[in-house]
Amino acid sequence: MVTTTDNVGTFDARFYQAMNQKAKEYFMEDPQLNWLPQAIIQPQDASQYKKPIYGASIGVKGNTSLSMPDLKMQTPKSHNVYDLEYVEGNIYYDANEQLQEGQFLLQKKQQELKTWQNQVKQAIFKGVFTDGFTSAGLGVGNRLNTGIIEQATLVQNLNGTDSLMDAAGDVYKALSKMVNSIPFRYRDGKTVVIGCDDLFLSKARSALFRGATNQISELDLFLQELSTGTYAQNGQMVAPKLLVSDTLFLNTVAGTTKTETDTLGTHSRLFATVSDPDIIEQAYSRVGMVGEDRYNTIQAVVQKWAARCSGCVHDASAVVYSEQITWA
């Protein structure tokens, strides 16, 4: 750790504690991420995550009397393997910067840390790219692994004919189809989490989807019926708040299975899943500050922050992503 004795300035334990606390809080508290089960892989910096997949056990039988245990129950087992790739960022500061920023230096560096954290979050959903993501959420360079979106099952014809939202009832039909595209055996006794982009949220509450008398929107009616205790039924429970994010849920880079790229402000997408570590996870073999280099001759320090990670869909039947949505 760099201290005043390292000829760099007044960087002390409080600076590092504040930075690390900020990083810890982000991955634990971010509402766009904390619903997603987290797997910490050992050993540190492991290049792959091997997830055991267990099928339904077989070997139960009926009988008129107890028999000898000649038939043992068996549980089929397979596994999925995910490549864990690095998302890294270098945070630089020197004595001159400390003089210029003063008490605001920590705030500035926490903003840089937040940018790295946001890129990690995007990588979980869209994959790790060699040159990271632009401010608009566009992956740049080569994709090193696939994220959750590319692994999800594509849902088409949200209104029954296509995915053009141009008639009353289309929004309710679209949301219902996303939920019901997840087989009931996964939804049974659980809550479905739904994600969308900001345009979907605003369009779904427009006049077209409110009826002639400007009544409650189809979106709010859907949430009221499927998330409140008065109306919600087993297998049709959804989280009361949608996860809203352009950078996470719009498809900005054409992939193998999601070939359409979206235009911000024109297209929308819906995402839905059940939060269950046997279905979907964010996996890390490293996350946090790796270390630092000190350059005492120029009174500077470089910290390397890195996450070796992957978004993992263990059962695509329960993780669904809509085809491109357009609006009238």
Side-chain angles (χ1 to χ4, degrees), residues 49-56 75-82 186 277-281 312-315:
Y49 172 33
K50 186 176 181 179
K51 174 74 173 184
I53 306 297
Y54 295 95
T75 303
K77 179 183 177 182
S78 60
H79 63 265
N80 292 343
V81 177
Y82 304 90
Y186 298 106
D278 289 333
I279 292 172
I280 186 171
E281 285 183 307
C312 309
V313 173
H314 309 313
D315 193 334

Side-chain angles (χ1 to χ4, degrees), residues 14 127 260 274:
R14 289 171 297 176
E260 297 173 314
V274 173

Side-chain angles (χ1 to χ4, degrees), residues 70 94 98 159 178 238 244 252 291 321:
D70 55 332
D94 58 24
Q98 181 199 347
N159 64 16
M178 291 298 292
V238 303
V244 184
T252 52
Y321 185 67

Side-chain angles (χ1 to χ4, degrees), residues 106-119:
L106 180 60
Q107 295 179 22
K108 178 180 179 181
K109 295 309 170 185
Q110 285 183 340
Q111 175 56 42
E112 293 176 2
L113 179 65
K114 184 178 180 180
T115 298
W116 166 73
Q117 292 167 330
N118 188 51
Q119 295 247 347

Side-chain angles (χ1 to χ4, degrees), residues 31 72 86 103 131 142 147 198 215 246 269 274 287 291 316:
K72 295 182 294 184
Y86 287 111
Q103 62 180 320
D131 296 311
N142 298 321
D198 182 60
Q215 58 204 37
D246 292 337
R269 297 276 185 167
V274 173
V287 59

Side-chain angles (χ1 to χ4, degrees), residues 135-299:
S135 58
L138 176 66
V140 182
N142 298 321
R143 195 195 314 246
L144 300 179
N145 63 10
T146 57
I148 289 171
I149 297 302
E150 183 70 6
Q151 298 172 51
T153 296
L154 188 68
V155 178
Q156 299 175 301
N157 300 328
L158 295 181
N159 64 16
T161 303
D162 52 34
S163 293
L164 172 62
M165 303 287 105
D166 64 344
D170 281 352
V171 166
Y172 198 98
K173 290 177 184 177
L175 291 165
S176 296
K177 183 160 187 178
M178 291 298 292
V179 171
N180 291 311
S181 292
I182 301 173
F184 177 77
R185 64 182 182 275
Y186 298 106
R187 293 183 278 114
D188 189 3
K190 297 180 180 177
T191 299
V192 176
V193 177
I194 299 178
C196 69
D197 60 288
D198 182 60
L199 181 65
F200 183 92
L201 196 64
S202 60
K203 287 286 191 180
R205 284 175 166 160
S206 62
L208 177 61
F209 307 108
R210 286 184 176 272
T213 57
N214 197 33
Q215 58 204 37
I216 185 173
S217 70
E218 294 175 19
L219 169 63
D220 294 309
L221 178 63
F222 174 86
L223 291 175
Q224 183 183 83
E225 291 182 343
L226 275 72
S227 68
T228 58
T230 304
Y231 303 105
Q233 303 295 322
N234 178 45
Q236 289 286 322
M237 286 282 293
V238 303
K241 297 288 186 181
L242 301 184
L243 300 171
V244 184
S245 174
D246 292 337
T247 56
L248 296 187
F249 299 121
L250 288 179
N251 192 44
T252 52
V253 178
T256 303
T257 63
K258 313 300 182 298
T259 57
E260 297 173 314
T261 55
D262 302 325
T263 300
L264 180 66
T266 300
H267 303 124
S268 289
R269 297 276 185 167
L270 286 171
F271 169 86
T273 188
V274 173
S275 180
D276 185 326
D278 289 333
I279 292 172
I280 186 171
E281 285 183 307
Q282 50 178 324
Y284 303 90
S285 63
R286 175 185 286 277
V287 59
M289 191 177 77
V290 177
E292 62 190 11
D293 286 330
R294 290 167 285 183
Y295 303 94
N296 290 332
T297 55
I298 58 174
Q299 297 182 311

Side-chain angles (χ1 to χ4, degrees), residues 41-60:
I41 312 306
Q42 297 296 335
Q44 185 168 274
D45 285 319
S47 62
Q48 291 185 322
Y49 172 33
K50 186 176 181 179
K51 174 74 173 184
I53 306 297
Y54 295 95
S57 300
I58 58 175
V60 176

